């Protein structure tokens, strides 16, 4: 029932960054199907098609009611023929045969399992699939060559595929805070990614670190990592140095998703805590308090204070929201937005900003709070 919502008065904007997209919405039965199509297109390295299905799903997430008839979709943007066909099928039959058979297919399931390994992308997974491999255990059994990242990915496969809870994210946050304040007093740390958008579960935990005195944050990561390693809190880490140069990087360059901050992709060893005990409060019998731990993926990023607002905006997501922010900036405003800076190609100057609000304003967009960026 569409309580007090007139479908004809809904003005759905076409860029995700112009819309409010809450975490919980009314059309998961449709969006989950469209996201399977998107995932499948990504496995086939068809980026354009993958994004198109993701956009279609995203529009439905922003609708304030549950779609009942095709008529209600008439005025909505981003719904291509294929998406509409699938939606129609689900509205009529409750399910889409195309999507269900895709979900069940050996290729889809193998690609999901293989790309679900930390350090494995679509290219590698596809090559393995064509060699007859289907799962992480197939890789071990056949003795595949794995890099250090993939070795960790296979070793901790089950745990890394178990969603991280907000509670676990907060526990990791406490550890990171302790590490950071020990090696650089006065540094600030902020929870990013899905958890900043209000998610209860995530595939990893993302943190952004800065210091109000510009320059103090330089070479901070190796110190944080040493502090953590000395306490046996890391199972894996790969640190990349800051390689951002304003003169070389921003204007003219095609919008690039990968930023150049000092960063660390890691796997934390999170020691036993309340949630590791069973519902009866009893710890699994095979594990003592001292030995229980689980592996959790953590991303750490260090930003200079002057770029902190851009880094915050860039690391909050969702990925589609970020993509459309950059597209909006380029196509509608002749500006180039990255996680480091905003360059105005008409004025030929960088735009400074202290907050996300200022960036939205400069882009001519209404401010959307993190919890409504779940596009
Ligand atoms: P993710 O951690 O991949 O995604 P998420 O936190 O939204 O969802 P999940 O719960 O599955 O973890 O990325 C978080 C944000 O970081 C995302 O908006 C994109 C951004 N990001 C970059 O800006 N540069 C990068 O190199 C990467 C990997 C992510
Ligand atoms: Mn099609
Ligand atoms: Mn994340
Ligand atoms: Mn991440």
């Amino acid at each position: 029932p569409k309580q007090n919502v007139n479908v004809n008065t809904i003005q759905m904007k076409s860029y995700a960054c112009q819309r409010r997209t809450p975490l919980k919405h009314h059309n998961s039965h449709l969006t989950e199907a469209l996201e399977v199509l998107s995932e499948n297109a990504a496995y086939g390295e068809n980026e354009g098609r993958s994004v198109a299905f993701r956009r279609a799903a995203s529009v439905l997430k922003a609708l304030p009611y549950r779609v009942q008839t095709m008529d209600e979709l008439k005025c909505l943007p981003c719904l291509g023929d294929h998406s509409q066909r699938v939606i129609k099928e689900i509205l009529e039959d409750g399910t889409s045969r195309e999507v269900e058979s895709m979900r069940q297919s050996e290729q889809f399931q193998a690609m999901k399992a293989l790309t679900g390994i930390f350090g494995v992308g679509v290219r590698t997974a596809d090559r393995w699939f064509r060699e007859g491999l289907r799962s992480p255990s197939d890789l071990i059994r056949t003795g595949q060559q794995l890099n250090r990242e993939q070795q960790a990915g296979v070793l901790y496969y089950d745990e890394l595929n178990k969603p991280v809870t907000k509670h676990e994210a907060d526990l990791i946050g406490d550890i990171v805070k302790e590490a950071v304040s020990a090696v650089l007093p006065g540094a600030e740390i902020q929870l990013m990614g899905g958890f900043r958008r209000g998610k209860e579960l995530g595939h990893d935990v993302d943190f952004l670190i800065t210091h109000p005195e510009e320059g103090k944050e330089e070479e901070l990561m190796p110190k944080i990592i040493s502090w953590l390693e000395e306490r046996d809190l890391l199972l894996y880490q790969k640190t990349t140095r800051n390689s951002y140069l304003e003169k070389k990087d921003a204007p003219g360059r095609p919008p690039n998703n990968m930023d150049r901050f000092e960063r660390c992709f890691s796997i934390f060893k999170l020691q036993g805590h309340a949630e590791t005990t069973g519902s009866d409060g009893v710890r699994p019998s095979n594990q003592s308090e001292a030995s229980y731990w689980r592996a959790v993926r953590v991303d750490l990023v260090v930003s200079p204070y002057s770029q902190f607002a851009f880094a915050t905006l860039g690391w909050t997501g969702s990925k589609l929201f970020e993509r459309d922010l950059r597209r909006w900036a380029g196509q509608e405003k002749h500006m180039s937005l990255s996680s480091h800076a905003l360059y105005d190609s008409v004025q030929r100057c960088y735009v400074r900003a202290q907050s996300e609000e200022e960036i939205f304003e400069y882009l001519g967009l209404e401010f959307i709070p993190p919890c409504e960026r779940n596009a």
Side-chain angles (χ1 to χ4, degrees):
K2 289 174 279 296
Q3 292 128 347
N4 305 324
V5 181
N6 182 343
V7 296
N8 298 312
T9 64
I10 287 185
Q11 278 284 333
M12 185 68 69
K13 298 288 213 294
S14 63
Y15 289 84
C17 55
Q18 295 175 289
R19 306 189 293 252
R20 295 179 180 271
T21 314
L23 190 58
K24 297 201 173 84
H25 60 88
H26 310 272
N27 291 291
S28 339
H29 59 308
L30 301 174
T31 59
E32 278 163 18
L34 293 169
E35 281 169 349
V36 168
L37 295 174
S38 169
E39 227 176 302
N40 192 253
Y43 295 155
E45 291 190 68
N46 193 334
E47 163 96 348
R49 200 171 153 78
S50 174
V51 173
F53 285 126
R54 204 161 287 280
R55 273 192 212 298
S58 180
V59 162
L60 301 181
K61 291 179 189 177
L63 275 181
Y65 56 83
R66 186 178 167 103
V67 174
Q68 310 277 4
T69 69
M70 290 305 284
D71 225 33
E72 298 163 7
L73 305 177
K74 271 192 319 218
C75 302
L76 299 181
C78 310
L79 297 179
D81 290 346
H82 200 146
S83 294
Q84 292 195 39
R85 212 160 64 229
V86 168
I87 295 168
K88 186 160 184 279
E89 226 187 322
I90 297 173
L91 291 180
E92 286 169 359
D93 309 337
T95 166
S96 157
R97 286 180 61 185
E98 181 190 0
V99 172
E100 289 320 308
S101 70
M102 191 177 280
R103 244 199 257 267
Q104 301 306 320
S105 78
E106 187 180 25
Q107 181 161 16
F108 185 84
Q109 291 189 357
M111 288 299 285
K112 198 173 184 67
L114 294 171
T115 57
I117 303 169
F118 176 55
V120 177
V122 164
R123 289 264 164 85
T124 306
D126 185 61
R127 174 165 51 80
W128 284 336
F129 178 76
R130 285 185 281 105
E131 287 170 13
L133 305 168
R134 300 290 177 263
S135 68
S137 51
D138 288 346
L139 302 179
I140 300 170
R141 189 173 43 74
T142 57
Q144 291 297 310
Q145 277 278 357
L146 303 174
N147 62 31
R148 201 169 66 88
E149 194 177 24
Q150 295 164 345
Q151 284 170 27
V154 168
L155 191 56
Y156 304 115
Y157 184 76
D158 291 334
E159 283 169 61
L160 296 184
N161 277 289
K162 197 179 135 209
V164 183
T165 64
K166 178 63 166 60
H167 177 67
E168 289 170 325
D170 290 336
L171 291 174
I172 304 259
D174 291 340
I175 295 168
V176 176
K177 253 174 233 143
E178 200 185 336
V180 169
S181 66
V183 300
L184 182 63
E188 294 169 11
I189 133 169
Q190 187 171 277
L191 185 59
M192 306 303 303
F195 288 113
R196 183 163 188 255
R197 300 196 307 275
K199 281 174 70 173
E200 286 294 322
L201 298 172
H203 100 281
D204 68 356
V205 196
D206 308 285
F207 294 101
L208 182 58
I209 303 159
T210 190
H211 192 286
E213 224 175 295
E214 187 99 352
K216 287 258 188 184
E217 82 292 342
E218 280 172 34
E219 309 293 320
L220 176 56
M221 197 70 81
K223 294 176 198 152
I224 299 172
I225 299 307
S226 301
W227 192 97
L228 293 167
E229 281 183 333
E230 279 162 21
R231 284 156 189 81
D232 193 27
L233 295 170
L234 290 183
L235 297 165
Y236 170 90
Q237 68 88 15
K238 185 172 178 225
T239 300
T240 314
R241 297 184 56 179
N242 183 320
S243 62
Y244 179 71
L245 284 168
E246 193 167 90
K247 282 191 251 30
K248 245 175 61 187
D249 274 306
R253 271 177 146 263
N256 186 347
N257 224 18
M258 209 62 182
D259 60 59
R260 290 158 177 271
F261 291 116
E262 183 177 52
R263 74 159 76 207
C264 179
F265 293 130
S266 74
I267 301 176
F268 267 54
K269 182 175 176 179
L270 181 59
Q271 294 294 331
H273 53 88
E275 270 182 278
T276 62
T277 57
S279 53
D280 51 0
V282 178
R283 189 170 293 110
S285 58
N286 59 333
Q287 282 155 332
S288 69
E289 177 159 28
S291 71
Y292 188 85
W293 52 268
R294 78 161 280 197
V296 180
R297 272 273 298 117
V298 176
D299 288 337
L300 303 173
V301 184
V302 173
S303 154
Y305 205 63
S306 59
Q307 297 169 24
F308 190 64
F310 298 99
T312 299
L313 182 56
W315 274 83
T316 298
S318 69
K319 286 185 187 93
L320 186 64
F321 192 92
E322 302 292 338
R323 174 185 275 271
D324 274 13
L325 268 177
R326 286 162 207 227
R327 196 165 61 96
W328 168 270
Q331 293 185 352
E332 306 294 329
K333 298 288 163 178
H334 304 289
M335 295 183 205
S336 162
L337 175 69
S338 74
S339 292
H340 298 276
L342 179 59
Y343 183 78
D344 186 325
S345 315
V346 178
Q347 308 281 325
R348 294 180 183 228
C349 64
Y350 282 97
V351 180
R352 304 295 159 189
Q354 308 271 356
S355 65
E356 289 186 314
E357 282 84 348
E358 284 175 54
I359 303 171
F360 278 87
E361 195 177 332
Y362 205 91
L363 288 170
L365 290 168
E366 188 190 341
F367 179 71
I368 310 285
C371 64
E372 294 185 306
R373 295 182 204 161
N374 289 292

